[in-house]
Amino acid sequence: MTELIDRYVAAVLRAIPDDRRSDVEDELRAGIADAIESLVEAGEGAESAERAVLTDLGDPAGLAADYSDRPLWLIGPTYYLAWLQTMKRLAMLIPPIVGVVTVAIDFALGAGLVAALWNGLGAAFIAALNVAFWVTLGFVIAERSEAVASEKVAPFTAWTVDRLPTTKTLDRQFSLAETIGTVVFQLVIILVLVAEGGLRAFLSFDPVVESRAIAVILGLVGVSTVLQIVKYRVGRWTLGLAAVNAALNLGFAIWWVWALNSGGLLNLDFFDELDIADWVSPATRITTLVIVAICTWDTIEAFIKARKARDL
Amino acid sequence: MHMLDPALIATLRQEIRRGSVVILCLLALREPGYGYALLRTLEAAGVATDANTLYPLLRRLERQGLVASEWVTDDPRPRKYYRTSEAGEEVAALLLEEWAAIARSINIFDEERHSDRAD
């Protein structure tokens, strides 16, 4: 009958420092016995009284944590904001760098472009996991360390009004993460285009047409990358930037419509081999429509946002 | 009148009560008592507290020097008796003042409301 009590007490004591253990044990046993006794006196069966009392005391791990003043959370309110901020900054910074560097190194060492891109993606992912794990672990330790909790070691200075973001940063229409993401994506596209044979598998250009077509799209992507950086520095769409964006979109749309419909772009042998040649024509038409729609919407959106930013 | 969410009310009540447990213990333990007896005393006084809150709290108060403890082996089973220390008395006095001040402030607003209604 007392087996449950023994197990309960043992489970609590396991997580309590040695020097307090026997004292806690004696008091806990006395408390449990008192509580059961009074239930039994009130007419409860011995076994159900025992169960009721232990259930009431709750999870032994929680009781033990309470006895030894251990927090029941990984990162509490003291450190949560600092953790979140550190996490955002590092997650935005480190994985893209690791990814790009990996692609560059692999590519320089002679790996195929596709393989290099995959490796870069994998490396960025693993970097992100590492950032998340180590940053969190650091804060979990800080949360539990009395040295950090005391004012002696203050890793994070207190918040002051000087830290308020300027209204200029708040009004930003683009986040740094968004900009970095787009720029990295465009750099990858440029890499693919520059890499010889990168598109050969499913594209079939006349060599002369190909070099011109690639030069044009490279130019467009290059200008678009510059636009991303400029508009991030400006912080919002202006009518001028929106006009440049419109011109770029027109360029992209014309290039794609031409490339998809002139018959020069797609390597039909490639699709024949995949046995999806019948799909190529409708798919081309749908793709054309989608591309035109995206370019149109992107142009309009930039103008709308430019006007909104001017009205503010 | 709209429906009150019972869970919300329970949480709000609990928040107020949580602040009162320490002062209740310090006042109740002017008479030495052991854990389970204190639980029953508080329950009888209408301020029931969970056992898994009270036992760790008593140890914390002991570590902070606000209560003193002594094992008594005369009882049917050995029990740890706690008693409010001198420092505990001082702290209890300060907390009582605080409690009274809060009650006064609350009453000021409550009376204003009543007189508003009377107008």
Side-chain angles (χ1 to χ4, degrees), chain A residues 133 155 160 172 178 215 233 260:
Chain A
F133 177 77
T160 68
R172 274 192 173 289
E178 190 187 339
R233 299 208 59 161
L260 285 170

Side-chain angles (χ1 to χ4, degrees), chain A residues 23-24 26-27 30-31 33-35 37-38 56-57 66-67 69, chain B residues 34 36 40 51-52 55-56 59-60 63 71 77-80 82:
Chain A
D23 200 59
V24 169
D26 292 345
E27 188 184 25
D34 282 336
E37 200 175 272
S38 83
D56 213 34
L57 279 174
D66 214 359
Y67 266 126
D69 288 325
Chain B
Y34 55 94
Y36 186 71
R40 296 307 296 263
N52 54 17
Y55 288 117
R59 285 185 173 261
R60 212 167 299 139
R63 240 185 358 265
W71 279 95
R77 56 178 68 91
R79 281 168 177 148
K80 193 177 185 182
Y82 296 90

